[in-house]
Amino acid sequence: MECPHLSSSVCITPDSAKFPNGSPSSWCCSVCRSNKSPWVCLTCSSVHCGRYVNGHAKKHYEDAQVPLANHKKSEKQDKPQHTVCMDCSSYSTYCYRCDDFVVNDTKLGLVQKVREHLQNLENSAFTADRHRKRKLLENSSLNTKLLKVNGSTTGICATGLRNLGNTCFMNAILQSLSNIEQFCCYFKELPAVELRNGKTAGRRTYHTRSQGDNNVSLVEEFRKTLCALWQGSQTAFSPESLFYVVWKIMPNFRGYQQQDAHEFMRYLLDHLHLELQGGVNGVSRSAILQENSTLSASNKCSINGASTVVTAIFGGILQNEVNCLICGTESRKFDPFLDLSLDIPSQFRNKRSKNQENGPVCSLRDCLRSFTDLEELDETELYMCHKCKKKQKSTKKFWIQKLPKVLCLHLKRFHWTAYLRNKVDTYVEFPLRGLDMKCYLLEPENSGPESCLYDLAAVVVHHGSGVGSGHYTAYATHEGRWFHFNDSTVTLTDEDTVVKAKAYILFYVERQARAGSDKL
């Protein structure tokens, strides 16, 4: 947004003597000494932590306003007000009075001068060396970023995602998608798109809530986020630009309240699909998909128009059979899908843990069988029979006509009651490898011996009791090792820990033909 407070708040000039030593992204808060999310005040150059750490940057602004309340209005305007600060990691500028990120500058261009000065400090050889040593010390002390492999010490290249205020639902989905290799590689290989021209050409783009829809690209910000992960150049990345694009094009996710991770995933995939169909600024992305030989035409599934990488990888087809119980008329319909939402059978809903003794453990096979079994529709779902010419009782059954390359299974853990939405906290047993989907196919005889086997790539877990509260984390496998992604923290874990998780969303990748298999 265009901030009107820059002239009264931006008073510092690029002078290294006024800034702390070291690289800006590792500066410590002057109050709590935390080096997470440092922000520098553009009035006095003091450094404080962001609102999602201990909030001292905001408190610095609030404390500066208290003396002003005792002065006349004219005196307020003459005195610097400490309202504008800059993120020392992403160099974006924020105004607390406007409560938004800032895109304009002062007449003398002071904001851009400070930004360039901080970038020079960060990029200098001396501060880069200090920054690497600091991260190495952190990683050694926490023992989470180093792993001994064959007697030698290897660094973990995984990068966490900072929580921007109840954005764990987004972080868990992004980390899961980043570990689906074919999907992630497609976006990382896309050419960068410059959304600005003229004076701002070549500068880094900062998306804010006040920009128009034509100035944002979900594909571009998604690409940037995926490129930032797994590089090992930083312990955590702030996906704020992607988050504000999400605010623009997905109104349901505006604000900082907790959201449903599955709902976000569906909105994200749908909007990526739509934008890839149309391209950005007239530049078509579909040509890149057509040139990608690994996504053959026979594996594409069109949803709402032409095929994209989204439908080529996640797209499958269901056959929905409905039979009238009065006249026996059968109706068949083919529906494309990007994921399958599975009920947890009612007989298992009181079983909360794997080791609980009362009754058998619910398995993923039980959920899949419940989804595909013949079901008699109740009175509220009467079928309009074209032969009887009125609504009649009927049965319904799903078959999978075509399996996707990546099978996304959503376990329906949240159910509405008369007054609130309850969580089904049942443990569901799921395989790490060898999930066999052949028995759920419409024509299993036409599939090869290995084409129906899937191996687990990622799991999203919801911790807590309700959809509007709690916390999301994710497990994912990368180069044969399992990682746990908890916002900005990434730790190595093992298969025993993963299989004990109460899964909410499971991502299974089609197994490539190879000798031997373990079946569910």
Side-chain angles (χ1 to χ4, degrees), residues 111-214:
V111 173
Q112 182 61 21
K113 289 179 180 178
V114 172
R115 178 178 293 127
E116 291 172 353
H117 183 67
L118 295 187
Q119 289 173 327
N120 290 335
L121 288 176
E122 188 74 38
N123 293 332
S124 66
F126 175 72
T127 55
D129 182 61
R130 286 173 59 90
H131 191 46
R132 283 193 298 270
K133 289 180 180 178
R134 181 189 63 80
K135 290 202 295 184
L136 186 59
L137 286 172
E138 284 181 352
N139 298 338
S140 299
S141 61
L142 292 175
N143 199 27
T144 61
K145 289 286 180 179
L146 294 176
L147 177 71
K148 283 194 174 181
V149 180
N150 298 327
S152 62
T153 302
T154 304
I156 297 176
C157 57
T159 299
L161 288 168
R162 291 193 179 96
N163 194 313
L164 305 177
N166 283 325
T167 57
C168 56
F169 68 93
M170 178 177 74
N171 293 346
I173 294 298
L174 292 176
Q175 293 286 14
S176 298
L177 295 177
S178 76
N179 285 283
I180 298 174
E181 185 177 3
Q182 196 174 19
F183 185 71
C184 180
C185 287
Y186 170 84
F187 284 94
K188 290 199 292 187
E189 291 171 2
L190 288 176
V193 175
E194 181 56 60
L195 297 176
R196 294 187 177 185
N197 299 311
K199 294 182 179 179
T200 58
R203 293 185 189 174
R204 182 173 175 175
T205 302
Y206 303 96
H207 292 305
T208 74
R209 284 168 275 183
S210 60
Q211 286 179 293
D213 292 347
N214 294 331

Side-chain angles (χ1 to χ4, degrees), residues 46 63 73 88 103 149 153 164 253 257 334 336 471:
S46 60
D63 290 345
K73 185 175 180 181
C88 299
V103 296
V149 180
T153 302
L164 305 177
F253 297 96
Q257 65 272 25
F334 292 95
H471 182 60

Side-chain angles (χ1 to χ4, degrees), residues 348-362:
F348 298 108
R349 291 188 183 177
N350 292 325
K351 190 170 179 62
R352 292 176 173 266
S353 67
K354 183 177 182 179
N355 299 323
Q356 195 170 326
E357 295 181 358
N358 55 337
V361 175
C362 179

Side-chain angles (χ1 to χ4, degrees), residues 118-354:
L118 295 187
Q119 289 173 327
N120 290 335
L121 288 176
E122 188 74 38
N123 293 332
S124 66
F126 175 72
T127 55
D129 182 61
R130 286 173 59 90
H131 191 46
R132 283 193 298 270
K133 289 180 180 178
R134 181 189 63 80
K135 290 202 295 184
L136 186 59
L137 286 172
E138 284 181 352
N139 298 338
S140 299
S141 61
L142 292 175
N143 199 27
T144 61
K145 289 286 180 179
L146 294 176
L147 177 71
K148 283 194 174 181
V149 180
N150 298 327
S152 62
T153 302
T154 304
I156 297 176
C157 57
T159 299
L161 288 168
R162 291 193 179 96
N163 194 313
L164 305 177
N166 283 325
T167 57
C168 56
F169 68 93
M170 178 177 74
N171 293 346
I173 294 298
L174 292 176
Q175 293 286 14
S176 298
L177 295 177
S178 76
N179 285 283
I180 298 174
E181 185 177 3
Q182 196 174 19
F183 185 71
C184 180
C185 287
Y186 170 84
F187 284 94
K188 290 199 292 187
E189 291 171 2
L190 288 176
V193 175
E194 181 56 60
L195 297 176
R196 294 187 177 185
N197 299 311
K199 294 182 179 179
T200 58
R203 293 185 189 174
R204 182 173 175 175
T205 302
Y206 303 96
H207 292 305
T208 74
R209 284 168 275 183
S210 60
Q211 286 179 293
D213 292 347
N214 294 331
N215 293 326
V216 298
S217 168
L218 179 64
V219 170
E220 176 65 4
E221 293 306 330
F222 186 66
R223 182 194 68 81
K224 290 179 183 177
T225 302
L226 293 182
C227 287
L229 302 176
W230 295 106
Q231 290 184 341
S233 58
Q234 52 188 334
T235 56
F237 173 75
S238 180
E240 60 183 23
S241 291
L242 174 61
F243 188 43
Y244 284 118
V245 172
V246 168
W247 277 30
K248 273 296 176 189
I249 65 178
M250 306 179 199
N252 290 7
F253 297 96
R254 290 177 184 171
Y256 294 99
Q257 65 272 25
Q258 181 64 281
Q259 301 282 359
D260 182 76
H262 174 252
E263 185 180 359
F264 171 75
M265 182 197 74
R266 284 307 312 268
Y267 270 89
L268 177 66
L269 292 178
D270 288 344
H271 281 81
L272 287 172
H273 173 63
L274 290 173
E275 188 174 315
L276 286 167
Q277 284 180 316
V280 180
N281 288 353
V283 180
S284 175
R285 305 277 198 174
S286 60
I288 301 173
L289 176 63
Q290 294 168 2
E291 293 171 3
N292 192 335
S293 59
T294 61
L295 302 176
S296 62
S298 61
N299 288 322
K300 294 179 182 178
C301 170
S302 295
I303 298 177
N304 297 327
S307 176
T308 67
V309 67
V310 175
T311 54
I313 290 180
F314 290 95
I317 299 175
L318 281 176
Q319 177 177 291
N320 183 0
E321 291 182 358
V322 180
N323 285 276
C324 176
L325 292 177
I326 306 302
C327 68
T329 299
E330 184 180 89
S331 173
R332 294 180 181 178
K333 186 173 70 169
F334 292 95
D335 297 314
F337 69 87
L338 294 178
D339 71 309
L340 298 178
S341 291
L342 310 178
D343 279 305
I344 297 174
S346 56
Q347 66 266 31
F348 298 108
R349 291 188 183 177
N350 292 325
K351 190 170 179 62
R352 292 176 173 266
S353 67
K354 183 177 182 179

Side-chain angles (χ1 to χ4, degrees), residues 383-399:
Y383 161 67
M384 183 64 190
C385 178
H386 297 289
K387 187 173 181 180
C388 299
K389 299 191 182 302
K390 63 177 181 179
K391 292 185 176 180
Q392 301 283 26
K393 286 187 176 182
S394 58
T395 60
K396 179 180 71 174
K397 180 174 177 60
F398 285 119
W399 293 97

